[in-house]
Amino acid sequence: GLCCPGRDPACLSLGWRPDGSHGPCYCDEECARTLDCCHDHAETCPVVPCVVSQWSVWSGCAEPCKTTYRVRRRHVIQEPRNGGEACPPLEERAGCVEYWTRQGTECKQSLVPALITTGGFGKARKKRAAADGSERAGYCVEFQLMAITPGCLHSHHSYTRWMQYLREGHTVCVECQHPALDSTSLHCYGDGSGSKKNQLLHWQAVGNPQCKGTWKRIRQLDTCSCPSVHSFLFI
């Protein structure tokens, strides 16, 4: 008839044990593990599992304009008793980036994922830009590729074959030219300007959403002299 929480050696009785022997037996939550419960322990102290609520909605990012995390939480509705399973985690975090400040202004360029395509696309784009006479002088940025998703290697269409030249550890050259060159900032989105040294920046390949990764900005070049195989364009 006793029922004690936790491990309590004083929660003791004399009676029958489940194995049929008679003598001292225990009535605390730990007796099921030590196999010395009194025979009526399961009926007198039934296992009560932990019950938790549904997850809350995800919070916003902890801080804007930087790679950080968001949070969701749940709470305990019923505490476990009599050896019931412990409660699961009550908080979860997930990676998060917000590209807008709390005041609604856009974050610095370094945070915006770079959208890139093959450098060969630039020839046709330059012809179109020259036609309206609004072309501005562009620039190039060298990056070291740090991580690449397997999706870049599984590009079978002719227009996505350039993605197979992306290799971890290689240095690539990405050109910022009109019309991707923003007229106000004079930068291309995602070029990493304003980023810290060795900061991991994100890029995505246009034409294959499964091809993306991270790179580190090395330097900006006012005169582009990129090798054709590792030459790309900001979109």
Side-chain angles (χ1 to χ4, degrees), residues 85-103:
E85 277 196 41
C87 292
L90 301 177
E91 181 179 292
E92 277 189 350
R93 295 186 178 191
C96 184
V97 177
E98 280 181 5
Y99 301 126
W100 300 86
T101 66
R102 301 279 190 255
Q103 292 74 38

PDB file of all heavy atoms in Angstrom, residues 85-103:
ATOM      1  N   GLU A  85       8.709   7.213 -17.923  1.00  0.00           N
ATOM      2  CA  GLU A  85       9.797   7.790 -18.722  1.00  0.00           C
ATOM      3  C   GLU A  85       9.966   9.270 -18.443  1.00  0.00           C
ATOM      4  O   GLU A  85       8.999  10.002 -18.273  1.00  0.00           O
ATOM      5  CB  GLU A  85       9.522   7.581 -20.214  1.00  0.00           C
ATOM      6  CG  GLU A  85       9.944   6.207 -20.708  1.00  0.00           C
ATOM      7  CD  GLU A  85      10.024   6.174 -22.225  1.00  0.00           C
ATOM      8  OE1 GLU A  85      10.520   7.144 -22.825  1.00  0.00           O
ATOM      9  OE2 GLU A  85       9.578   5.164 -22.783  1.00  0.00           O
ATOM     10  N   ALA A  86      11.239   9.699 -18.403  1.00  0.00           N
ATOM     11  CA  ALA A  86      11.539  11.105 -18.158  1.00  0.00           C
ATOM     12  C   ALA A  86      10.999  11.963 -19.297  1.00  0.00           C
ATOM     13  O   ALA A  86      10.762  11.478 -20.407  1.00  0.00           O
ATOM     14  CB  ALA A  86      13.045  11.294 -18.023  1.00  0.00           C
ATOM     15  N   CYS A  87      10.833  13.243 -19.022  1.00  0.00           N
ATOM     16  CA  CYS A  87      10.292  14.160 -20.032  1.00  0.00           C
ATOM     17  C   CYS A  87      11.310  14.385 -21.143  1.00  0.00           C
ATOM     18  O   CYS A  87      12.517  14.441 -20.898  1.00  0.00           O
ATOM     19  CB  CYS A  87       9.934  15.496 -19.386  1.00  0.00           C
ATOM     20  SG  CYS A  87       8.537  15.380 -18.248  1.00  0.00           S
ATOM     21  N   PRO A  88      10.837  14.526 -22.396  1.00  0.00           N
ATOM     22  CA  PRO A  88      11.735  14.826 -23.513  1.00  0.00           C
ATOM     23  C   PRO A  88      12.186  16.281 -23.428  1.00  0.00           C
ATOM     24  O   PRO A  88      11.665  17.053 -22.614  1.00  0.00           O
ATOM     25  CB  PRO A  88      10.845  14.584 -24.738  1.00  0.00           C
ATOM     26  CG  PRO A  88       9.468  14.895 -24.246  1.00  0.00           C
ATOM     27  CD  PRO A  88       9.423  14.437 -22.817  1.00  0.00           C
ATOM     28  N   PRO A  89      13.148  16.710 -24.272  1.00  0.00           N
ATOM     29  CA  PRO A  89      13.591  18.109 -24.253  1.00  0.00           C
ATOM     30  C   PRO A  89      12.423  19.068 -24.453  1.00  0.00           C
ATOM     31  O   PRO A  89      11.513  18.800 -25.243  1.00  0.00           O
ATOM     32  CB  PRO A  89      14.574  18.179 -25.432  1.00  0.00           C
ATOM     33  CG  PRO A  89      15.056  16.778 -25.606  1.00  0.00           C
ATOM     34  CD  PRO A  89      13.907  15.901 -25.245  1.00  0.00           C
ATOM     35  N   LEU A  90      12.471  20.164 -23.749  1.00  0.00           N
ATOM     36  CA  LEU A  90      11.381  21.138 -23.788  1.00  0.00           C
ATOM     37  C   LEU A  90      11.704  22.333 -24.671  1.00  0.00           C
ATOM     38  O   LEU A  90      10.888  23.239 -24.810  1.00  0.00           O
ATOM     39  CB  LEU A  90      11.072  21.624 -22.361  1.00  0.00           C
ATOM     40  CG  LEU A  90      10.668  20.534 -21.363  1.00  0.00           C
ATOM     41  CD1 LEU A  90      10.455  21.127 -19.982  1.00  0.00           C
ATOM     42  CD2 LEU A  90       9.414  19.792 -21.826  1.00  0.00           C
ATOM     43  N   GLU A  91      12.916  22.323 -25.269  1.00  0.00           N
ATOM     44  CA  GLU A  91      13.306  23.428 -26.152  1.00  0.00           C
ATOM     45  C   GLU A  91      14.065  22.884 -27.348  1.00  0.00           C
ATOM     46  O   GLU A  91      14.869  21.976 -27.207  1.00  0.00           O
ATOM     47  CB  GLU A  91      14.168  24.439 -25.392  1.00  0.00           C
ATOM     48  CG  GLU A  91      14.595  25.630 -26.223  1.00  0.00           C
ATOM     49  CD  GLU A  91      15.423  26.641 -25.444  1.00  0.00           C
ATOM     50  OE1 GLU A  91      14.846  27.283 -24.546  1.00  0.00           O
ATOM     51  OE2 GLU A  91      16.637  26.767 -25.715  1.00  0.00           O
ATOM     52  N   GLU A  92      13.799  23.426 -28.517  1.00  0.00           N
ATOM     53  CA  GLU A  92      14.540  23.077 -29.725  1.00  0.00           C
ATOM     54  C   GLU A  92      15.014  24.363 -30.390  1.00  0.00           C
ATOM     55  O   GLU A  92      14.318  25.384 -30.368  1.00  0.00           O
ATOM     56  CB  GLU A  92      13.648  22.310 -30.727  1.00  0.00           C
ATOM     57  CG  GLU A  92      13.541  20.839 -30.441  1.00  0.00           C
ATOM     58  CD  GLU A  92      12.845  20.081 -31.568  1.00  0.00           C
ATOM     59  OE1 GLU A  92      12.286  20.731 -32.476  1.00  0.00           O
ATOM     60  OE2 GLU A  92      12.861  18.843 -31.540  1.00  0.00           O
ATOM     61  N   ARG A  93      16.226  24.281 -30.988  1.00  0.00           N
ATOM     62  CA  ARG A  93      16.771  25.421 -31.727  1.00  0.00           C
ATOM     63  C   ARG A  93      17.067  24.997 -33.155  1.00  0.00           C
ATOM     64  O   ARG A  93      17.405  23.847 -33.401  1.00  0.00           O
ATOM     65  CB  ARG A  93      18.048  25.947 -31.062  1.00  0.00           C
ATOM     66  CG  ARG A  93      17.805  26.525 -29.671  1.00  0.00           C
ATOM     67  CD  ARG A  93      19.042  27.156 -29.094  1.00  0.00           C
ATOM     68  NE  ARG A  93      18.784  27.748 -27.802  1.00  0.00           N
ATOM     69  CZ  ARG A  93      19.623  28.540 -27.153  1.00  0.00           C
ATOM     70  NH1 ARG A  93      20.793  28.837 -27.705  1.00  0.00           N
ATOM     71  NH2 ARG A  93      19.311  29.047 -25.987  1.00  0.00           N
ATOM     72  N   ALA A  94      16.941  25.937 -34.069  1.00  0.00           N
ATOM     73  CA  ALA A  94      17.245  25.675 -35.477  1.00  0.00           C
ATOM     74  C   ALA A  94      17.979  26.887 -36.043  1.00  0.00           C
ATOM     75  O   ALA A  94      17.780  28.021 -35.579  1.00  0.00           O
ATOM     76  CB  ALA A  94      15.960  25.419 -36.269  1.00  0.00           C
ATOM     77  N   GLY A  95      18.836  26.635 -37.037  1.00  0.00           N
ATOM     78  CA  GLY A  95      19.565  27.722 -37.669  1.00  0.00           C
ATOM     79  C   GLY A  95      18.630  28.738 -38.285  1.00  0.00           C
ATOM     80  O   GLY A  95      17.514  28.409 -38.722  1.00  0.00           O
ATOM     81  N   CYS A  96      19.072  29.973 -38.319  1.00  0.00           N
ATOM     82  CA  CYS A  96      18.163  31.046 -38.746  1.00  0.00           C
ATOM     83  C   CYS A  96      18.974  32.247 -39.226  1.00  0.00           C
ATOM     84  O   CYS A  96      20.018  32.566 -38.652  1.00  0.00           O
ATOM     85  CB  CYS A  96      17.307  31.445 -37.540  1.00  0.00           C
ATOM     86  SG  CYS A  96      16.032  32.665 -37.861  1.00  0.00           S
ATOM     87  N   VAL A  97      18.511  32.866 -40.306  1.00  0.00           N
ATOM     88  CA  VAL A  97      19.094  34.128 -40.771  1.00  0.00           C
ATOM     89  C   VAL A  97      17.943  35.042 -41.196  1.00  0.00           C
ATOM     90  O   VAL A  97      17.058  34.622 -41.931  1.00  0.00           O
ATOM     91  CB  VAL A  97      20.038  33.924 -41.973  1.00  0.00           C
ATOM     92  CG1 VAL A  97      20.557  35.275 -42.458  1.00  0.00           C
ATOM     93  CG2 VAL A  97      21.204  33.035 -41.619  1.00  0.00           C
ATOM     94  N   GLU A  98      17.954  36.266 -40.709  1.00  0.00           N
ATOM     95  CA  GLU A  98      16.994  37.265 -41.161  1.00  0.00           C
ATOM     96  C   GLU A  98      17.757  38.338 -41.924  1.00  0.00           C
ATOM     97  O   GLU A  98      18.783  38.832 -41.450  1.00  0.00           O
ATOM     98  CB  GLU A  98      16.243  37.888 -39.979  1.00  0.00           C
ATOM     99  CG  GLU A  98      15.104  37.018 -39.479  1.00  0.00           C
ATOM    100  CD  GLU A  98      14.358  37.654 -38.313  1.00  0.00           C
ATOM    101  OE1 GLU A  98      14.667  38.799 -37.966  1.00  0.00           O
ATOM    102  OE2 GLU A  98      13.483  36.977 -37.752  1.00  0.00           O
ATOM    103  N   TYR A  99      17.256  38.698 -43.107  1.00  0.00           N
ATOM    104  CA  TYR A  99      17.953  39.643 -43.963  1.00  0.00           C
ATOM    105  C   TYR A  99      17.462  41.075 -43.776  1.00  0.00           C
ATOM    106  O   TYR A  99      17.845  41.967 -44.523  1.00  0.00           O
ATOM    107  CB  TYR A  99      17.799  39.220 -45.429  1.00  0.00           C
ATOM    108  CG  TYR A  99      18.329  37.841 -45.708  1.00  0.00           C
ATOM    109  CD1 TYR A  99      17.551  36.871 -46.319  1.00  0.00           C
ATOM    110  CD2 TYR A  99      19.621  37.496 -45.331  1.00  0.00           C
ATOM    111  CE1 TYR A  99      18.050  35.601 -46.563  1.00  0.00           C
ATOM    112  CE2 TYR A  99      20.126  36.233 -45.570  1.00  0.00           C
ATOM    113  CZ  TYR A  99      19.339  35.294 -46.183  1.00  0.00           C
ATOM    114  OH  TYR A  99      19.834  34.041 -46.421  1.00  0.00           O
ATOM    115  N   TRP A 100      16.595  41.289 -42.792  1.00  0.00           N
ATOM    116  CA  TRP A 100      16.057  42.628 -42.546  1.00  0.00           C
ATOM    117  C   TRP A 100      16.229  42.973 -41.077  1.00  0.00           C
ATOM    118  O   TRP A 100      16.059  42.134 -40.202  1.00  0.00           O
ATOM    119  CB  TRP A 100      14.570  42.687 -42.924  1.00  0.00           C
ATOM    120  CG  TRP A 100      14.336  42.378 -44.367  1.00  0.00           C
ATOM    121  CD1 TRP A 100      14.171  41.151 -44.924  1.00  0.00           C
ATOM    122  CD2 TRP A 100      14.300  43.310 -45.440  1.00  0.00           C
ATOM    123  NE1 TRP A 100      14.028  41.247 -46.277  1.00  0.00           N
ATOM    124  CE2 TRP A 100      14.095  42.565 -46.636  1.00  0.00           C
ATOM    125  CE3 TRP A 100      14.403  44.697 -45.524  1.00  0.00           C
ATOM    126  CZ2 TRP A 100      13.991  43.163 -47.881  1.00  0.00           C
ATOM    127  CZ3 TRP A 100      14.307  45.287 -46.768  1.00  0.00           C
ATOM    128  CH2 TRP A 100      14.096  44.526 -47.923  1.00  0.00           C
ATOM    129  N   THR A 101      16.572  44.233 -40.797  1.00  0.00           N
ATOM    130  CA  THR A 101      16.723  44.682 -39.418  1.00  0.00           C
ATOM    131  C   THR A 101      15.351  44.826 -38.774  1.00  0.00           C
ATOM    132  O   THR A 101      14.321  44.777 -39.451  1.00  0.00           O
ATOM    133  CB  THR A 101      17.447  46.037 -39.353  1.00  0.00           C
ATOM    134  OG1 THR A 101      16.599  47.027 -39.966  1.00  0.00           O
ATOM    135  CG2 THR A 101      18.786  45.976 -40.093  1.00  0.00           C
ATOM    136  N   ARG A 102      15.337  45.047 -37.465  1.00  0.00           N
ATOM    137  CA  ARG A 102      14.073  45.256 -36.744  1.00  0.00           C
ATOM    138  C   ARG A 102      13.354  46.510 -37.260  1.00  0.00           C
ATOM    139  O   ARG A 102      12.139  46.633 -37.152  1.00  0.00           O
ATOM    140  CB  ARG A 102      14.348  45.403 -35.242  1.00  0.00           C
ATOM    141  CG  ARG A 102      15.046  44.198 -34.610  1.00  0.00           C
ATOM    142  CD  ARG A 102      14.073  43.095 -34.287  1.00  0.00           C
ATOM    143  NE  ARG A 102      14.702  42.054 -33.476  1.00  0.00           N
ATOM    144  CZ  ARG A 102      15.071  40.875 -33.941  1.00  0.00           C
ATOM    145  NH1 ARG A 102      14.886  40.579 -35.222  1.00  0.00           N
ATOM    146  NH2 ARG A 102      15.621  39.970 -33.149  1.00  0.00           N
ATOM    147  N   GLN A 103      14.134  47.451 -37.819  1.00  0.00           N
ATOM    148  CA  GLN A 103      13.541  48.687 -38.340  1.00  0.00           C
ATOM    149  C   GLN A 103      13.043  48.525 -39.777  1.00  0.00           C
ATOM    150  O   GLN A 103      12.511  49.475 -40.368  1.00  0.00           O
ATOM    151  CB  GLN A 103      14.567  49.825 -38.284  1.00  0.00           C
ATOM    152  CG  GLN A 103      14.932  50.276 -36.871  1.00  0.00           C
ATOM    153  CD  GLN A 103      15.821  49.286 -36.151  1.00  0.00           C
ATOM    154  OE1 GLN A 103      16.697  48.683 -36.764  1.00  0.00           O
ATOM    155  NE2 GLN A 103      15.587  49.102 -34.853  1.00  0.00           N
TER     156      GLN A 103
END
